[in-house]
Amino acid sequence: MTVTDLSPRPGPPALVLVAHGSRDPRALATVRALMERVRELRPGLPVHLGHIELNEPLLPDTLAALGDARAVLVPLLLSRGYHAKQDIPEMAAAAGVRARVAAPLGPHPLLADILHARLLEAGWRRRPASAVVLAAAGSRDPESRIDTGRMAGLLAARLGVPVLPAYASAATPTVPEAITALRARGRHHIAVASYFTAPGRFATECAAHAPWIASAPLGAHDAMAELILHRYERALGTPVTAAA
């Protein structure tokens, strides 16, 4: 006689989106929209939001509400740096939750696709003397610069024009310095690609320097939701189809 196991099956670990936080209300609206898009793509997966600072819910509060549930924390960050390496793991450890911390979203080919789409929305078209400044937040961590440089390379391959990384703070070159360097190379149609998850002060300041066009931040693009789920699955060690 076959005995059927009727005990409840454990559900999947919760996915916790970890946003930095911003005083710009558009940032919170953007990450909430992104969270809803992830939920639409993966019905039945518990998806939560926690912020490092400035916005509620704060990450420690989100983790406390999970109790002893398993979770994967997916940083809405675009490179390695202090928040990804220290802040988020330390908050998870202090909360005592059974959690894994996924890799930051960038660099990744899907982000190059999104950056290209945002540039097209802003009026991008390739010209003989065109180039792009990839405007990022910036970090003192050298691995962050490596990651942003790799992303610039992915976007350059996607667009077929030079792409220089530049930073809003904590690193050089700045956006104006990168624009000057490209002009010295004979590039006269220079776009600024906003390499930010959501609108905020840094994105606004970088876009203001654009001599031609500036794209919107990555935002709640479908491919962003796909990339979040990819990082979640990679952290769990489950098979995925997207490129690493």
Side-chain angles (χ1 to χ4, degrees):
M1 181 177 68
T2 302
V3 177
T4 302
D5 182 6
L6 298 179
S7 59
R9 301 288 183 185
L15 190 162
V16 179
L17 298 175
V18 184
H20 182 277
S22 171
R23 292 184 176 86
D24 190 320
R26 296 173 298 169
L28 181 56
T30 298
V31 295
R32 283 177 172 167
L34 188 53
M35 178 172 63
E36 291 306 315
R37 186 67 190 117
V38 173
R39 286 172 172 164
E40 291 170 3
L41 289 179
R42 191 65 59 86
L45 175 64
V47 182
H48 306 276
L49 174 63
H51 292 89
I52 297 170
E53 60 181 2
L54 299 175
N55 293 120
E56 294 183 349
L58 292 171
L59 180 57
D61 296 331
T62 297
L63 296 178
L66 289 174
D68 62 354
R70 296 178 300 153
V72 174
L73 280 53
V74 180
L76 297 181
L77 304 173
L78 301 173
S79 66
R80 292 169 290 178
Y82 179 81
H83 291 310
K85 292 179 178 180
Q86 293 184 259
D87 266 353
I88 297 172
E90 287 174 1
M91 288 181 186
V97 297
R98 294 183 293 162
R100 299 183 185 183
V101 180
L105 298 182
H108 195 279
L110 281 174
L111 294 175
D113 293 341
I114 302 168
L115 288 164
H116 183 214
R118 296 302 188 209
L119 283 166
L120 289 174
E121 292 169 358
W124 167 265
R125 62 186 180 92
R126 182 177 171 182
R127 299 179 178 183
S130 56
V132 172
V133 172
L134 183 67
S139 170
R140 293 182 178 86
D141 190 312
E143 288 187 320
S144 177
R145 290 175 57 87
I146 290 170
D147 290 346
T148 306
R150 285 182 59 199
M151 194 64 240
L154 289 171
L155 184 58
R158 185 75 174 79
L159 299 177
V161 303
V163 177
L164 286 187
Y167 305 95
S169 69
T172 55
T174 64
V175 171
E177 288 169 347
I179 291 169
T180 297
L182 287 169
R183 282 176 170 158
R185 300 183 192 179
R187 300 288 168 169
H188 305 300
H189 298 287
I190 302 170
V192 172
S194 297
Y195 192 43
F196 302 93
T197 303
R201 179 171 65 89
F202 283 165
T204 300
E205 290 175 355
C206 289
H209 293 296
W212 176 28
I213 58 171
S215 66
L218 300 166
H221 194 283
D222 286 353
M224 281 285 280
E226 294 170 10
L227 180 54
I228 287 165
L229 288 168
H230 170 70
R231 292 301 191 209
Y232 169 86
E233 292 166 353
R234 291 274 297 194
L236 288 177
T238 54
V240 292
T241 56

